[in-house]
Amino acid sequence: QVQLVESGGGVVQAGGSLRLSCAASGRTFSMYAMAWFRQAPGKEREFVAAINWIGDSTYQSDSVKGRFTISRDNGQNTMYLQMNSLKPEDTAIYYCAASRSGPTLTKSDYDYWGQGTQVTVSS
């Protein structure tokens, strides 16, 4: 059982950077694979990046490859998404998620979700 809380969203100009954080409650954080998803207005929630239990294997969508980096600090029960070279099309609500079944690209595989944090990238 875990609760997730995202933070770090905001408004930035294209080309700028943000770092999102996802803080997890409980002492079993290291047992979960973690991921970031995002949802823009009028669109389906889409996969952004995922990380395995110990943080030595990561996965990124093609749209963010080379720009976003996912990481985790199990000692602090926190996952991060470093977002560089932001584009207007990155504008969305970003959600963190946790899964006991390992990192996947499918949102239905994730058992726990945060409330989301808004990222807005201006032109």
Side-chain angles (χ1 to χ4, degrees):
Q1 198 84 35
V2 62
Q3 293 192 61
L4 307 173
V5 180
E6 303 95 336
S7 62
V11 181
V12 298
Q13 291 185 313
S17 298
L18 284 173
R19 188 179 75 157
L20 306 184
S21 298
C22 175
S25 65
R27 292 179 282 107
T28 59
F29 177 69
S30 63
M31 298 178 62
Y32 293 86
M34 301 290 295
W36 291 95
F37 289 77
R38 66 187 182 186
Q39 187 167 19
K43 298 181 65 178
E44 296 292 323
R45 192 170 300 184
E46 67 176 2
F47 173 80
V48 176
I51 188 166
N52 71 345
W53 299 283
I54 63 174
D56 65 346
S57 184
T58 63
Y59 309 87
Q60 297 169 323
S61 69
D62 289 341
S63 63
V64 307
K65 182 74 173 180
R67 300 188 298 119
F68 292 8
T69 302
I70 187 171
S71 62
R72 68 192 296 168
D73 183 342
N74 288 344
Q76 296 294 320
N77 286 351
T78 304
M79 177 181 64
Y80 303 96
L81 186 68
Q82 178 66 48
M83 305 186 295
N84 299 326
S85 301
L86 283 161
K87 304 175 180 179
E89 51 263 45
D90 295 319
T91 295
I93 300 174
Y94 283 71
Y95 298 89
C96 64
S99 174
R100 285 183 174 267
S101 60
T104 81
L105 312 186
T106 305
K107 58 183 181 292
S108 62
D109 290 335
Y110 289 84
D111 304 299
Y112 305 101
W113 294 85
Q115 79 282 5
T117 186
Q118 177 70 49
V119 172
T120 301
V121 184
S122 65
S123 300

